[in-house]
Amino acid sequence: MKSFGVVVFLLVLLNLTNCHGALQTGFYVGKCGKQDVESIIRNVVRQRFARDRTIVAALLRMHFHDCFVTGCDASLLLNGPTSEKTSPPNFSVRGYDLIDQAKAAVERACPGVVSCADIIAIATRDAVALAKGINYRVQTGRRDGPTSQARNVNLPGPSISVPSSISFFASKGFTTRDMVLLIGGGHTVGVAHCSFFQDRLFNFRNTGRRDPSMNANLANTLRGRCPRGSPVDNIINLDQTPGSSFVVDNGYYRQIRAGKGILEIDQAMAFHPSTRSIVSSLANSGRTFQTQFGAAMIKMGALQVLTGRNGQIRRTCGVRN
């Protein structure tokens, strides 16, 4: 029965990687002369990764923040006084310059062919692969959205409860397992400022004490890194596994299972009855995490996409044509 289950899952994954709606793998083959669009983008990402490994988390965050608002349409990239960039949840999003560099590179090769939305998806996959994550077969064929409004941004914060997070992801068509995979996949290479979790160290829910679900030794260490009243808002790795903070792997799940989650949602997922068994299965198998994370990323990348004659191919990612 176990082998049958594995075969069924791999068949489902194969279907996901070949075509998802109007998207497809290899969409740009033959559309840029003899140039390989994905290789052009990969080279830009590789050069950045060589000097800044934090770009992996940045691109994962950008991809998520773009897709979960009006779909994977690169609306997040548009500039403007009331664009999505001006919404507080997006203040810490970065990596725009890398997308611009990749766009400039593909425009030199074949102007007006490759969408900014596809560049985000391809660059994110390449960054994940460079960080020793799965090199999933990203689907392409997206077109860019014409609008971007801050009022449309409604993204979950780090203190969201597990039930509320499940509801949010379900509203977008994602399962609870998808949620655990997407949050964990982003947080395994992610960071957070002390201000986002300091209450867990000193005054959790106005109790005057630390969050009892946090490992005591970790809490003591973090108090030293995030002292109360400090004018410096330090940055802490969300995956506390030694040597794994910039690697896309399942170490994050092992850490939160041991009470070493940094953000409240991280720790809550490890202990909540709706997510506990999922966290354990991912903590116990790096292969399971990689395969299922790749499938979840493909699914996310197909969220409310514009294809065919819908939308446009922007000449510059931050400006409508």
Side-chain angles (χ1 to χ4, degrees), residues 169-208:
F169 276 82
S171 72
K172 303 291 185 179
F174 293 91
T175 67
T176 300
R177 179 171 287 272
D178 292 333
M179 178 196 81
V180 175
L181 286 161
L182 291 172
I183 292 177
H187 289 187
T188 189
V189 288
V191 296
H193 285 277
C194 293
S195 55
F196 283 101
F197 60 88
Q198 206 164 31
D199 61 316
R200 298 189 67 213
L201 307 178
F202 300 101
N203 188 25
F204 184 61
R205 296 181 182 172
N206 296 316
T207 61

Side-chain angles (χ1 to χ4, degrees), residues 6 11-12 18 20 23 30-31 41 88 93 107 119 124 135 138 141 154 199 225 232 250 254 261 263 270 272 279 304:
V6 170
L11 287 173
V12 171
N18 284 334
H20 203 132
L23 301 179
K31 292 183 172 67
I41 297 170
V93 174
E107 285 293 300
I119 292 173
T124 301
N135 187 21
V138 71
N154 180 26
D199 61 316
R225 296 285 309 279
V232 180
N250 67 330
R254 294 195 299 271
L263 300 178
H272 195 279
V279 169
Q304 295 176 260

Side-chain angles (χ1 to χ4, degrees), residues 53 131-132 184-185 187-190 237-255 289-290:
R53 291 187 296 169
K132 300 182 181 180
H187 289 187
T188 189
V189 288
N237 292 319
L238 295 180
D239 182 358
Q240 291 290 300
T241 308
S244 180
S245 296
F246 297 107
V247 178
V248 176
D249 61 11
N250 67 330
Y252 159 88
Y253 298 103
R254 294 195 299 271
Q255 291 295 304
F289 162 70
Q290 295 287 0

Side-chain angles (χ1 to χ4, degrees), residues 231-306:
V232 180
D233 197 5
N234 285 324
I235 294 175
I236 303 297
N237 292 319
L238 295 180
D239 182 358
Q240 291 290 300
T241 308
S244 180
S245 296
F246 297 107
V247 178
V248 176
D249 61 11
N250 67 330
Y252 159 88
Y253 298 103
R254 294 195 299 271
Q255 291 295 304
I256 64 173
R257 193 170 59 173
K260 296 181 180 180
I262 303 298
L263 300 178
E264 190 171 346
I265 182 61
D266 293 336
Q267 198 54 71
M269 286 198 308
F271 300 142
H272 195 279
S274 296
T275 50
R276 182 172 54 217
S277 62
I278 300 172
V279 169
S280 290
S281 70
L282 297 173
N284 291 334
S285 174
R287 184 175 182 179
T288 297
F289 162 70
Q290 295 287 0
T291 303
Q292 294 185 5
F293 176 58
M297 289 296 293
I298 293 167
K299 183 175 180 179
M300 185 183 80
L303 188 60
Q304 295 176 260
V305 294
L306 299 172

